[in-house]
Amino acid sequence: MRRASVAVRSGGTMDWIGWPALMAAGGTLLLATPVEVFGLQLPEPILPLLLAFAWPLIRPSIVAPTVLFGLGLVLDVLLYQPLGLWPLCLLAPYGVVLAARSFLAGQETRVLFFWFCLTSGFAFLLAYLIVMLTGGRAPSLLALLGQVIPTLLLFPLSNALIQRFDDVDARFR
């Protein structure tokens, strides 16, 4: 009796960057639709922020920041923000996590969630300050919380992506 061999997946770029980016863009488009349920609008989490945290922990790449820049431009157009706001606010936490990668790689979920909260808070603070300075007035804090809280609640998606590709390629550990 011959046993079928099972090939080990290497986790190609489309698996850990392409499909998650397309899902984040699709989810962002879906949640940006003007639908009201029981008088409430859909939440508007910043889905690419989940990727900006996960991608530098999975594997260093030149493709990931480029895709984040594109996703940031999509966010700018959908949220009527100045062009360049969200690319900057996505690349800043990406850089922070990339710099702390040697410390964060292999940490427990609680530690990753803490760092996700810190880097997300940094991104939202940066966005808030830029909008305040360019617009001449402070944005609504309730609207900000309407983005921050749903984004933080979606951390398990980022963690699942990290866990799925953890130790796929030992060269980057």
Side-chain angles (χ1 to χ4, degrees), residues 33-128:
T33 57
V35 174
E36 288 190 20
V37 179
F38 303 115
L40 300 172
Q41 292 183 342
L42 295 173
E44 291 184 5
I46 304 299
L47 296 176
L49 201 51
L50 302 170
L51 303 176
F53 182 77
W55 285 345
L57 292 177
I58 294 171
R59 183 180 310 161
S61 168
I62 193 67
V63 176
T66 306
V67 173
L68 281 175
F69 186 86
L71 289 171
L73 290 177
V74 169
L75 280 172
D76 287 342
V77 170
L78 285 176
L79 300 176
Y80 303 106
Q81 299 295 329
L83 284 180
L85 171 73
W86 280 109
L88 174 64
C89 294
L90 291 174
L91 291 173
Y94 179 88
V96 169
V97 174
L98 188 62
R101 184 176 189 279
S102 61
F103 167 74
L104 290 174
Q107 290 287 343
E108 293 181 16
T109 302
R110 291 179 293 178
V111 174
L112 293 180
F113 180 67
F114 176 76
W115 273 80
F116 178 71
C117 290
L118 283 178
T119 56
S120 296
F122 172 62
F124 281 111
L125 177 65
L126 186 60
Y128 184 84

